[in-house]
Amino acid sequence: MPTTAFVRSARLSWLTTAPVVTAIALADVAVTHYAYEALVAPEFSYLRYAYRSPDPLYYAIALALVVGLALVMPRRLERPSHWITWVIFVITVVPSVIIPQIAPVLSPGDSVELAGWIAGSFLLVATLGTRRGLREFLPVRPLSQRTFWPLLFALWAAMHAYLLLTVGIRLSLPSIDDVYGVRAALQTEKADSPALEYTVSWLAGFIDAAMMIRGLWFRRWLWLLAGVLGPLYLYDIDGDKTALLSPVALVLAYFLLRRDRPAGSAVMLAAPVLSTASMVADLVFFHDTELTSLISRRVFITPGLVSTGYVAVFSNIDKARLGHSVLRWLFPYPYPVEPADLVGALFFDRPDTHANASLLADGYANFGYPGMLGACVILVVLLWAIDDATRGLPAGFSCLLFLVPALTLAESGVLTSMLTGGILFALVFCALAPRTGWPSVPTGGPQASAAGPGDRVPGSEPVARIRAEETSIS
Protein backbone atom coordinates (compact mmCIF):
# COMPACT_ATOMS: atom_id res chain seq x y z
CA MET A 1 0.00 0.00 0.00
CA PRO A 2 1.54 3.36 -1.01
CA THR A 3 2.66 5.72 1.71
CA THR A 4 1.05 9.13 2.22
CA ALA A 5 4.20 10.87 0.96
CA PHE A 6 4.17 8.74 -2.19
CA VAL A 7 0.54 9.61 -2.87
CA ARG A 8 1.24 13.33 -2.44
CA SER A 9 4.23 13.04 -4.76
CA ALA A 10 2.15 11.22 -7.37
CA ARG A 11 -0.47 13.95 -7.29
CA LEU A 12 2.16 16.50 -8.26
CA SER A 13 4.04 14.32 -10.75
CA TRP A 14 1.95 15.49 -13.70
CA LEU A 15 3.25 19.03 -13.12
CA THR A 16 6.80 17.83 -13.80
CA THR A 17 6.17 16.40 -17.26
CA ALA A 18 7.59 18.30 -20.24
CA PRO A 19 4.21 18.90 -22.00
CA VAL A 20 2.67 20.31 -18.82
CA VAL A 21 5.69 22.53 -18.08
CA THR A 22 5.49 23.82 -21.66
CA ALA A 23 1.76 24.48 -21.35
CA ILE A 24 2.22 26.36 -18.06
CA ALA A 25 5.00 28.50 -19.56
CA LEU A 26 2.82 29.40 -22.56
CA ALA A 27 -0.14 30.13 -20.27
CA ASP A 28 2.05 32.45 -18.20
CA VAL A 29 3.08 34.35 -21.32
CA ALA A 30 -0.49 34.47 -22.66
CA VAL A 31 -1.99 35.86 -19.45
CA THR A 32 0.84 38.39 -19.07
CA HIS A 33 0.38 39.51 -22.68
CA TYR A 34 -3.38 39.87 -22.28
CA ALA A 35 -3.13 41.77 -19.01
CA TYR A 36 -0.57 44.14 -20.51
CA GLU A 37 -2.44 44.76 -23.76
CA ALA A 38 -6.03 44.91 -22.49
CA LEU A 39 -5.75 46.41 -19.00
CA VAL A 40 -2.34 47.78 -18.08
CA ALA A 41 -1.37 49.63 -21.26
CA PRO A 42 -4.67 51.55 -21.65
CA GLU A 43 -4.68 52.53 -17.96
CA PHE A 44 -0.98 53.28 -17.42
CA SER A 45 0.31 54.46 -20.79
CA TYR A 46 1.43 57.70 -19.14
CA LEU A 47 3.94 55.60 -17.16
CA ARG A 48 5.45 54.10 -20.35
CA TYR A 49 3.20 51.00 -20.29
CA ALA A 50 2.29 51.45 -23.96
CA TYR A 51 1.56 48.50 -26.26
CA ARG A 52 2.68 47.49 -29.74
CA SER A 53 1.97 44.33 -31.72
CA PRO A 54 5.02 42.07 -31.56
CA ASP A 55 7.03 41.01 -34.55
CA PRO A 56 5.83 37.43 -35.23
CA LEU A 57 9.28 35.92 -35.79
CA TYR A 58 10.96 37.64 -32.86
CA TYR A 59 8.01 36.88 -30.59
CA ALA A 60 8.25 33.21 -31.53
CA ILE A 61 11.94 33.31 -30.59
CA ALA A 62 11.07 34.90 -27.24
CA LEU A 63 8.45 32.21 -26.58
CA ALA A 64 10.95 29.50 -27.45
CA LEU A 65 13.46 31.01 -25.00
CA VAL A 66 10.89 31.03 -22.18
CA VAL A 67 9.80 27.45 -22.84
CA GLY A 68 13.36 26.24 -23.26
CA LEU A 69 14.45 27.72 -19.93
CA ALA A 70 11.38 26.30 -18.18
CA LEU A 71 12.26 22.82 -19.46
CA VAL A 72 15.84 22.91 -18.15
CA MET A 73 14.84 24.21 -14.72
CA PRO A 74 14.75 21.71 -11.80
CA ARG A 75 11.52 19.72 -12.06
CA ARG A 76 11.19 19.41 -8.26
CA LEU A 77 12.07 21.77 -5.42
CA GLU A 78 14.59 19.87 -3.34
CA ARG A 79 16.76 22.70 -1.96
CA PRO A 80 16.77 26.51 -1.74
CA SER A 81 18.69 27.05 -5.01
CA HIS A 82 15.84 25.35 -6.92
CA TRP A 83 13.25 27.55 -5.23
CA ILE A 84 15.18 30.82 -5.70
CA THR A 85 15.85 30.03 -9.35
CA TRP A 86 12.17 29.41 -10.07
CA VAL A 87 11.07 32.58 -8.26
CA ILE A 88 13.55 34.74 -10.18
CA PHE A 89 12.59 33.04 -13.43
CA VAL A 90 8.89 33.76 -12.98
CA ILE A 91 9.15 37.31 -11.62
CA THR A 92 12.18 38.61 -13.52
CA VAL A 93 13.22 36.48 -16.48
CA VAL A 94 9.86 35.82 -18.14
CA PRO A 95 8.73 39.49 -18.01
CA SER A 96 12.17 40.68 -19.15
CA VAL A 97 11.99 38.40 -22.19
CA ILE A 98 8.35 39.05 -23.14
CA ILE A 99 7.55 42.67 -22.24
CA PRO A 100 10.28 44.21 -24.48
CA GLN A 101 8.59 42.52 -27.45
CA ILE A 102 5.25 44.26 -26.81
CA ALA A 103 6.38 47.58 -25.31
CA PRO A 104 7.30 50.28 -27.89
CA VAL A 105 10.63 51.15 -26.30
CA LEU A 106 13.34 49.18 -28.10
CA SER A 107 13.27 48.18 -31.75
CA PRO A 108 12.14 44.59 -32.43
CA GLY A 109 15.73 43.62 -33.21
CA ASP A 110 17.07 45.16 -30.00
CA SER A 111 14.22 43.56 -28.04
CA VAL A 112 15.03 40.06 -29.21
CA GLU A 113 18.74 40.71 -28.58
CA LEU A 114 17.85 41.63 -24.99
CA ALA A 115 15.77 38.46 -24.70
CA GLY A 116 18.65 36.34 -25.96
CA TRP A 117 21.15 37.80 -23.50
CA ILE A 118 18.75 37.39 -20.59
CA ALA A 119 17.98 33.79 -21.47
CA GLY A 120 21.61 32.93 -22.15
CA SER A 121 22.81 34.52 -18.90
CA PHE A 122 20.11 32.90 -16.80
CA LEU A 123 20.81 29.52 -18.36
CA LEU A 124 23.97 29.47 -16.22
CA VAL A 125 21.85 29.88 -13.11
CA ALA A 126 19.32 27.22 -14.13
CA THR A 127 21.96 24.62 -14.98
CA LEU A 128 24.91 25.39 -12.70
CA GLY A 129 23.45 27.30 -9.78
CA THR A 130 21.16 24.42 -8.85
CA ARG A 131 23.93 21.77 -8.81
CA ARG A 132 25.40 22.20 -5.30
CA GLY A 133 28.90 23.25 -6.31
CA LEU A 134 29.96 23.66 -2.65
CA ARG A 135 29.70 20.85 -0.11
CA GLU A 136 30.46 21.44 3.57
CA PHE A 137 32.47 24.49 2.59
CA LEU A 138 30.80 27.05 4.88
CA PRO A 139 31.15 26.52 8.65
CA VAL A 140 27.92 25.54 10.42
CA ARG A 141 27.63 26.18 14.17
CA PRO A 142 24.03 25.27 15.07
CA LEU A 143 22.55 26.54 18.33
CA SER A 144 19.87 24.77 20.33
CA GLN A 145 16.18 25.50 19.81
CA ARG A 146 16.12 26.96 23.33
CA THR A 147 18.82 29.52 22.46
CA PHE A 148 18.28 30.27 18.78
CA TRP A 149 14.66 31.43 18.67
CA PRO A 150 14.86 33.79 21.70
CA LEU A 151 17.86 35.43 20.00
CA LEU A 152 15.81 35.97 16.83
CA PHE A 153 12.92 37.42 18.81
CA ALA A 154 15.24 39.74 20.75
CA LEU A 155 16.82 40.98 17.51
CA TRP A 156 13.43 41.55 15.90
CA ALA A 157 12.16 43.46 18.94
CA ALA A 158 15.32 45.58 19.26
CA MET A 159 15.31 46.59 15.59
CA HIS A 160 11.64 47.54 15.59
CA ALA A 161 12.12 49.46 18.82
CA TYR A 162 14.95 51.38 17.16
CA LEU A 163 12.69 52.27 14.24
CA LEU A 164 9.88 53.39 16.56
CA LEU A 165 12.25 55.66 18.46
CA THR A 166 13.94 56.99 15.31
CA VAL A 167 11.12 57.27 12.78
CA GLY A 168 7.94 57.02 14.84
CA ILE A 169 4.63 55.79 13.47
CA ARG A 170 1.91 57.24 11.26
CA LEU A 171 -1.67 57.23 12.48
CA SER A 172 -2.92 55.74 9.20
CA LEU A 173 -1.36 53.61 6.48
CA PRO A 174 -0.49 55.53 3.29
CA SER A 175 -2.54 54.79 0.21
CA ILE A 176 -0.97 52.94 -2.71
CA ASP A 177 -0.75 56.22 -4.65
CA ASP A 178 0.80 58.13 -1.73
CA VAL A 179 3.81 55.90 -1.10
CA TYR A 180 6.33 58.02 -3.00
CA GLY A 181 6.08 60.92 -0.59
CA VAL A 182 6.47 58.58 2.39
CA ARG A 183 9.42 56.82 0.75
CA ALA A 184 11.17 60.09 -0.10
CA ALA A 185 10.88 61.29 3.50
CA LEU A 186 12.48 58.14 4.86
CA GLN A 187 15.18 58.18 2.16
CA THR A 188 16.32 61.54 3.50
CA GLU A 189 16.67 60.07 6.97
CA LYS A 190 18.44 56.97 5.63
CA ALA A 191 21.03 59.14 3.90
CA ASP A 192 22.06 60.53 7.29
CA SER A 193 22.00 57.19 9.11
CA PRO A 194 23.54 53.97 7.68
CA ALA A 195 22.16 52.12 10.73
CA LEU A 196 18.64 53.10 9.69
CA GLU A 197 19.27 51.90 6.14
CA TYR A 198 20.43 48.45 7.25
CA THR A 199 17.71 48.12 9.89
CA VAL A 200 14.90 48.75 7.42
CA SER A 201 16.51 46.58 4.72
CA TRP A 202 17.23 43.60 6.97
CA LEU A 203 13.78 43.66 8.54
CA ALA A 204 12.09 43.89 5.15
CA GLY A 205 14.44 41.44 3.44
CA PHE A 206 14.61 38.69 6.01
CA ILE A 207 13.90 39.13 9.73
CA ASP A 208 10.15 39.85 9.59
CA ALA A 209 9.74 36.94 7.16
CA ALA A 210 11.74 34.65 9.48
CA MET A 211 9.33 35.51 12.31
CA MET A 212 6.38 34.58 10.11
CA ILE A 213 8.00 31.36 8.94
CA ARG A 214 8.78 30.37 12.51
CA GLY A 215 5.10 30.87 13.38
CA LEU A 216 3.88 28.86 10.40
CA TRP A 217 6.31 25.97 10.72
CA PHE A 218 5.97 25.52 14.48
CA ARG A 219 2.34 26.72 14.66
CA ARG A 220 3.29 29.53 17.04
CA TRP A 221 0.61 32.08 16.16
CA LEU A 222 2.01 35.01 18.16
CA TRP A 223 5.19 34.73 16.13
CA LEU A 224 3.12 34.71 12.95
CA LEU A 225 1.25 37.82 14.09
CA ALA A 226 4.52 39.60 14.89
CA GLY A 227 5.85 38.68 11.46
CA VAL A 228 2.76 40.15 9.78
CA LEU A 229 2.73 43.37 11.80
CA GLY A 230 6.38 44.02 10.97
CA PRO A 231 5.86 44.43 7.17
CA LEU A 232 2.75 46.56 7.79
CA TYR A 233 4.84 48.90 9.94
CA LEU A 234 7.53 49.08 7.25
CA TYR A 235 4.86 49.95 4.69
CA ASP A 236 3.64 52.62 7.09
CA ILE A 237 7.03 54.34 7.36
CA ASP A 238 8.66 53.45 4.02
CA GLY A 239 5.79 52.96 1.56
CA ASP A 240 7.25 49.60 0.51
CA LYS A 241 4.51 47.93 -1.54
CA THR A 242 6.35 44.60 -1.41
CA ALA A 243 5.74 44.63 2.34
CA LEU A 244 2.01 44.35 1.66
CA LEU A 245 2.46 41.32 -0.59
CA SER A 246 5.20 39.42 1.26
CA PRO A 247 2.98 38.00 4.06
CA VAL A 248 0.47 36.72 1.50
CA ALA A 249 3.27 35.29 -0.65
CA LEU A 250 4.79 33.54 2.37
CA VAL A 251 1.51 31.88 3.33
CA LEU A 252 0.90 30.68 -0.24
CA ALA A 253 4.47 29.42 -0.49
CA TYR A 254 4.11 27.62 2.83
CA PHE A 255 1.22 25.50 1.55
CA LEU A 256 3.34 24.51 -1.45
CA LEU A 257 6.63 23.91 0.35
CA ARG A 258 5.23 21.86 3.21
CA ARG A 259 4.83 19.07 0.65
CA ASP A 260 7.62 16.61 -0.06
CA ARG A 261 9.61 17.67 -3.15
CA PRO A 262 6.91 19.85 -4.76
CA ALA A 263 6.92 20.53 -8.48
CA GLY A 264 8.94 23.55 -9.57
CA SER A 265 6.43 24.42 -12.29
CA ALA A 266 3.87 25.06 -9.54
CA VAL A 267 5.76 28.31 -8.89
CA MET A 268 5.27 29.31 -12.52
CA LEU A 269 1.62 28.24 -12.44
CA ALA A 270 1.04 30.73 -9.63
CA ALA A 271 1.72 33.64 -12.00
CA PRO A 272 -1.18 33.14 -14.46
CA VAL A 273 -3.48 31.97 -11.66
CA LEU A 274 -2.87 35.05 -9.49
CA SER A 275 -3.01 37.42 -12.46
CA THR A 276 -6.26 35.91 -13.69
CA ALA A 277 -7.76 35.98 -10.20
CA SER A 278 -6.88 39.67 -9.79
CA MET A 279 -8.43 40.55 -13.15
CA VAL A 280 -11.62 38.60 -12.39
CA ALA A 281 -11.90 40.15 -8.92
CA ASP A 282 -11.50 43.63 -10.38
CA LEU A 283 -14.15 42.93 -13.01
CA VAL A 284 -16.72 41.28 -10.74
CA PHE A 285 -16.28 42.96 -7.36
CA PHE A 286 -14.30 46.20 -7.60
CA HIS A 287 -15.05 47.49 -11.11
CA ASP A 288 -11.58 49.01 -11.45
CA THR A 289 -7.99 47.83 -11.99
CA GLU A 290 -6.64 48.16 -8.45
CA LEU A 291 -5.85 44.48 -7.86
CA THR A 292 -4.62 44.00 -11.41
CA SER A 293 -2.28 46.94 -10.92
CA LEU A 294 -0.99 45.65 -7.58
CA ILE A 295 -0.49 42.02 -8.60
CA SER A 296 -0.29 41.59 -12.37
CA ARG A 297 1.27 44.95 -13.27
CA ARG A 298 3.60 45.39 -10.32
CA VAL A 299 4.75 41.78 -9.79
CA PHE A 300 4.64 40.15 -13.23
CA ILE A 301 4.94 43.04 -15.73
CA THR A 302 6.92 45.92 -14.23
CA PRO A 303 10.22 44.01 -13.91
CA GLY A 304 10.14 43.50 -17.68
CA LEU A 305 9.39 47.15 -18.44
CA VAL A 306 12.10 48.33 -16.04
CA SER A 307 14.64 46.00 -17.67
CA THR A 308 13.65 47.51 -21.02
CA GLY A 309 14.05 51.00 -19.58
CA TYR A 310 17.52 50.26 -18.25
CA VAL A 311 18.66 49.09 -21.67
CA ALA A 312 17.04 52.11 -23.35
CA VAL A 313 18.81 54.53 -21.00
CA PHE A 314 22.23 52.95 -20.59
CA SER A 315 22.66 51.90 -24.21
CA ASN A 316 23.18 55.58 -25.07
CA ILE A 317 25.19 56.84 -22.08
CA ASP A 318 28.26 55.72 -20.15
CA LYS A 319 27.77 52.60 -18.06
CA ALA A 320 27.89 52.96 -14.27
CA ARG A 321 30.68 50.33 -13.84
CA LEU A 322 29.79 50.08 -10.12
CA GLY A 323 31.31 53.52 -9.68
CA HIS A 324 28.48 54.36 -7.29
CA SER A 325 29.16 51.19 -5.31
CA VAL A 326 32.03 48.79 -4.57
CA LEU A 327 34.23 49.98 -7.46
CA ARG A 328 34.04 53.70 -6.72
CA TRP A 329 37.77 53.57 -5.93
CA LEU A 330 38.47 52.39 -9.49
CA PHE A 331 35.83 53.98 -11.73
CA PRO A 332 34.59 57.56 -11.24
CA TYR A 333 30.79 57.68 -11.32
CA PRO A 334 29.68 60.23 -13.94
CA TYR A 335 26.15 60.98 -12.68
CA PRO A 336 24.75 62.93 -9.72
CA VAL A 337 22.21 60.23 -8.80
CA GLU A 338 22.19 56.42 -8.65
CA PRO A 339 21.23 54.39 -11.75
CA ALA A 340 17.73 53.67 -10.40
CA ASP A 341 17.03 57.38 -9.96
CA LEU A 342 18.56 58.12 -13.36
CA VAL A 343 16.23 55.64 -15.07
CA GLY A 344 13.30 57.07 -13.10
CA ALA A 345 14.07 60.53 -14.42
CA LEU A 346 15.14 59.73 -18.00
CA PHE A 347 12.89 56.80 -18.87
CA PHE A 348 9.78 57.25 -16.71
CA ASP A 349 10.10 61.07 -16.72
CA ARG A 350 9.60 61.04 -12.95
CA PRO A 351 12.63 62.36 -11.03
CA ASP A 352 11.02 61.22 -7.77
CA THR A 353 10.86 57.58 -8.95
CA HIS A 354 13.53 55.15 -7.77
CA ALA A 355 13.27 52.58 -10.57
CA ASN A 356 14.43 49.45 -8.77
CA ALA A 357 15.97 46.96 -11.16
CA SER A 358 16.54 43.22 -11.12
CA LEU A 359 20.03 41.78 -10.97
CA LEU A 360 19.91 41.48 -14.78
CA ALA A 361 18.99 45.10 -15.44
CA ASP A 362 21.46 46.25 -12.81
CA GLY A 363 24.16 44.19 -14.50
CA TYR A 364 23.41 45.91 -17.80
CA ALA A 365 23.52 49.37 -16.22
CA ASN A 366 27.00 48.67 -14.91
CA PHE A 367 28.72 46.78 -17.74
CA GLY A 368 26.23 46.26 -20.56
CA TYR A 369 25.26 42.77 -21.65
CA PRO A 370 28.46 41.22 -20.22
CA GLY A 371 27.31 42.71 -16.90
CA MET A 372 24.17 40.55 -17.07
CA LEU A 373 26.35 37.49 -17.53
CA GLY A 374 28.60 38.56 -14.65
CA ALA A 375 25.64 39.08 -12.32
CA CYS A 376 24.43 35.55 -13.08
CA VAL A 377 27.90 34.10 -12.41
CA ILE A 378 27.88 35.78 -8.98
CA LEU A 379 24.37 34.42 -8.40
CA VAL A 380 25.54 30.89 -9.22
CA VAL A 381 28.19 31.05 -6.51
CA LEU A 382 25.70 32.62 -4.11
CA LEU A 383 23.23 29.78 -4.69
CA TRP A 384 25.97 27.25 -3.98
CA ALA A 385 26.69 29.05 -0.70
CA ILE A 386 22.98 29.09 0.24
CA ASP A 387 22.60 25.37 -0.37
CA ASP A 388 25.71 24.69 1.67
CA ALA A 389 24.65 26.91 4.58
CA THR A 390 21.23 25.24 4.79
CA ARG A 391 22.49 21.65 4.80
CA GLY A 392 20.75 19.66 7.49
CA LEU A 393 17.74 22.02 7.71
CA PRO A 394 14.26 20.96 6.52
CA ALA A 395 14.11 21.69 2.80
CA GLY A 396 10.72 23.43 2.89
CA PHE A 397 11.75 25.65 5.80
CA SER A 398 15.01 26.57 4.04
CA CYS A 399 13.18 27.47 0.84
CA LEU A 400 10.66 29.63 2.72
CA LEU A 401 13.51 31.54 4.37
CA PHE A 402 14.77 32.62 0.96
CA LEU A 403 11.46 33.68 -0.60
CA VAL A 404 11.78 37.38 0.30
CA PRO A 405 15.53 37.46 -0.54
CA ALA A 406 14.63 36.00 -3.94
CA LEU A 407 12.06 38.77 -4.41
CA THR A 408 14.81 41.24 -3.48
CA LEU A 409 16.93 39.91 -6.36
CA ALA A 410 13.97 40.71 -8.63
CA GLU A 411 14.23 44.40 -7.80
CA SER A 412 17.88 45.08 -6.94
CA GLY A 413 21.38 44.13 -8.00
CA VAL A 414 22.99 40.97 -6.72
CA LEU A 415 25.61 42.83 -4.65
CA THR A 416 22.96 45.10 -3.12
CA SER A 417 20.81 42.07 -2.31
CA MET A 418 23.74 40.41 -0.57
CA LEU A 419 24.57 43.40 1.63
CA THR A 420 21.58 45.63 2.35
CA GLY A 421 19.06 43.08 1.05
CA GLY A 422 19.88 40.67 3.82
CA ILE A 423 21.13 37.60 1.94
CA LEU A 424 24.46 37.51 3.79
CA PHE A 425 22.52 37.97 7.04
CA ALA A 426 20.35 35.02 6.00
CA LEU A 427 23.44 32.88 5.45
CA VAL A 428 24.61 33.58 9.01
CA PHE A 429 21.10 32.81 10.27
CA CYS A 430 21.10 29.43 8.53
CA ALA A 431 24.59 28.57 9.77
CA LEU A 432 23.41 29.11 13.36
CA ALA A 433 19.94 27.53 13.02
CA PRO A 434 19.31 24.32 15.01
CA ARG A 435 19.77 21.05 13.15
CA THR A 436 17.67 19.05 15.64
CA GLY A 437 14.25 19.46 17.20
CA TRP A 438 12.24 20.09 14.05
CA PRO A 439 8.53 19.12 14.17
CA SER A 440 6.83 17.14 11.47
CA VAL A 441 5.24 19.20 8.74
CA PRO A 442 1.40 19.47 8.81
CA THR A 443 0.95 16.78 6.14
CA GLY A 444 2.70 14.23 8.38
CA GLY A 445 6.16 12.70 8.35
CA PRO A 446 9.48 14.54 8.39
CA GLN A 447 10.08 17.08 5.70
CA ALA A 448 12.74 16.18 3.16
CA SER A 449 16.14 17.46 4.16
CA ALA A 450 18.10 20.04 2.21
CA ALA A 451 21.18 17.90 2.62
CA GLY A 452 22.63 15.91 -0.21
CA PRO A 453 24.39 12.56 -0.34
CA GLY A 454 27.18 12.29 2.16
CA ASP A 455 26.04 15.23 4.32
CA ARG A 456 25.74 14.63 8.04
CA VAL A 457 22.19 15.35 9.21
CA PRO A 458 21.21 14.89 12.87
CA GLY A 459 17.85 13.33 13.69
CA SER A 460 14.72 15.02 14.93
CA GLU A 461 13.49 15.40 18.48
CA PRO A 462 9.91 14.93 19.66
CA VAL A 463 7.56 17.86 19.16
CA ALA A 464 6.53 17.76 22.82
CA ARG A 465 10.09 18.49 23.88
CA ILE A 466 10.30 21.47 21.52
CA ARG A 467 7.11 22.99 22.87
CA ALA A 468 8.20 22.41 26.45
CA GLU A 469 11.43 24.32 25.72
CA GLU A 470 9.55 27.20 24.07
CA THR A 471 6.99 27.95 26.76
CA SER A 472 8.97 30.91 28.04
CA ILE A 473 9.18 32.68 24.65
CA SER A 474 5.75 32.05 23.09
Side-chain angles (χ1 to χ4, degrees):
M1 184 174 181
T3 64
T4 304
F6 178 82
V7 172
R8 291 198 306 271
S9 178
R11 289 173 182 170
L12 288 174
S13 62
W14 64 277
L15 286 173
T16 66
T17 61
V20 173
V21 173
T22 300
I24 293 174
L26 293 176
D28 185 14
V29 172
V31 172
T32 300
H33 188 132
Y34 173 80
Y36 186 86
E37 178 183 4
L39 300 174
V40 174
E43 183 76 17
F44 299 97
S45 59
Y46 67 97
L47 290 177
R48 298 299 299 265
Y49 291 88
Y51 176 78
R52 73 170 177 209
S53 297
D55 179 279
L57 175 61
Y58 292 154
Y59 199 53
I61 293 173
L63 288 175
L65 292 173
V66 169
V67 172
L69 282 174
L71 290 174
V72 301
M73 299 275 281
R75 296 296 175 90
R76 291 191 179 275
L77 304 175
E78 298 180 347
R79 47 186 174 267
S81 62
H82 297 171
W83 168 250
I84 295 170
T85 301
W86 270 106
V87 171
I88 296 174
F89 175 69
V90 172
I91 295 181
T92 297
V93 175
V94 174
S96 297
V97 170
I98 296 302
I99 297 302
Q101 316 306 317
I102 57 178
V105 177
L106 304 175
S107 69
D110 290 339
S111 298
V112 80
E113 181 184 14
L114 170 59
W117 273 97
I118 288 174
S121 299
F122 195 74
L123 183 63
L124 289 177
V125 180
T127 55
L128 297 180
T130 56
R131 300 297 183 187
R132 298 190 74 240
L134 299 176
R135 292 176 184 268
E136 300 190 30
F137 178 81
L138 297 180
V140 172
R141 299 292 183 267
L143 303 174
S144 67
Q145 298 277 351
R146 185 190 298 271
T147 302
F148 181 76
W149 297 115
L151 283 177
L152 173 64
F153 180 83
L155 181 63
W156 174 86
M159 295 180 82
H160 276 288
Y162 169 73
L163 288 184
L164 284 169
L165 292 174
T166 305
V167 182
I169 189 170
R170 293 165 58 101
L171 296 178
S172 60
L173 293 176
S175 68
I176 295 295
D177 298 326
D178 188 39
V179 297
Y180 297 107
V182 175
R183 191 175 301 166
L186 189 65
Q187 282 296 123
T188 303
E189 295 189 52
K190 285 182 181 178
D192 298 329
S193 174
L196 182 61
E197 169 75 26
Y198 280 96
T199 299
V200 172
S201 298
W202 287 359
L203 284 170
F206 185 77
I207 297 175
D208 281 333
M211 294 287 290
M212 269 196 70
I213 296 164
R214 153 74 163 164
L216 288 168
W217 205 264
F218 286 82
R219 299 175 182 172
R220 313 300 291 189
W221 308 126
L222 290 179
W223 286 72
L224 177 62
L225 178 61
V228 171
L229 291 178
L232 289 179
Y233 175 60
L234 292 180
Y235 176 74
D236 178 62
I237 64 173
D238 195 22
D240 185 359
K241 296 177 184 177
T242 305
L244 292 178
L245 299 176
S246 59
V248 178
L250 278 169
V251 172
L252 293 176
Y254 166 74
F255 285 105
L256 170 65
L257 293 170
R258 68 179 185 169
R259 296 176 177 271
D260 182 31
R261 301 173 66 243
S265 58
V267 182
M268 184 167 54
L269 182 61
V273 169
L274 290 175
S275 292
T276 301
S278 66
M279 288 186 284
V280 171
D282 278 340
L283 178 66
V284 175
F285 300 108
F286 304 112
H287 308 292
D288 60 18
T289 59
E290 190 68 29
L291 271 181
T292 301
S293 174
L294 182 63
I295 295 176
S296 186
R297 179 180 72 90
R298 175 170 171 76
V299 179
F300 302 116
I301 290 175
T302 296
L305 184 67
V306 172
S307 295
T308 311
Y310 267 68
V311 174
V313 170
F314 282 97
S315 61
N316 298 313
I317 61 177
D318 292 337
K319 305 297 189 290
R321 297 187 296 180
L322 292 175
H324 60 297
S325 182
V326 295
L327 295 184
R328 61 171 55 92
W329 58 274
L330 182 60
F331 299 116
Y333 186 62
Y335 309 112
V337 295
E338 294 184 1
D341 299 309
L342 196 64
V343 173
L346 298 181
F347 179 70
F348 291 101
D349 198 25
R350 293 171 67 98
D352 61 333
T353 295
H354 187 78
N356 294 330
S358 69
L359 75 159
L360 295 167
D362 180 78
Y364 184 89
N366 283 293
F367 297 104
Y369 284 126
M372 285 187 176
L373 188 63
C376 287
V377 170
I378 295 174
L379 180 58
V380 166
V381 178
L382 183 60
L383 292 176
W384 289 348
I386 289 171
D387 281 346
D388 195 47
T390 56
R391 65 186 186 273
L393 293 175
F397 181 85
S398 302
C399 291
L400 273 178
L401 283 177
F402 284 94
L403 171 59
V404 178
L407 297 177
T408 302
L409 286 165
E411 57 181 22
S412 60
V414 63
L415 296 179
T416 301
S417 299
M418 289 169 61
L419 298 173
T420 58
I423 292 182
L424 292 183
F425 183 93
L427 288 175
V428 175
F429 176 96
C430 292
L432 297 177
R435 263 52 181 183
T436 58
W438 292 95
S440 300
V441 292
T443 49
Q447 176 79 347
S449 170
D455 289 337
R456 297 184 297 273
V457 183
S460 297
E461 297 175 4
V463 178
R465 177 179 169 185
I466 303 167
R467 292 179 176 169
E469 288 180 350
E470 294 170 347
T471 303
S472 62
I473 59 169
S474 62

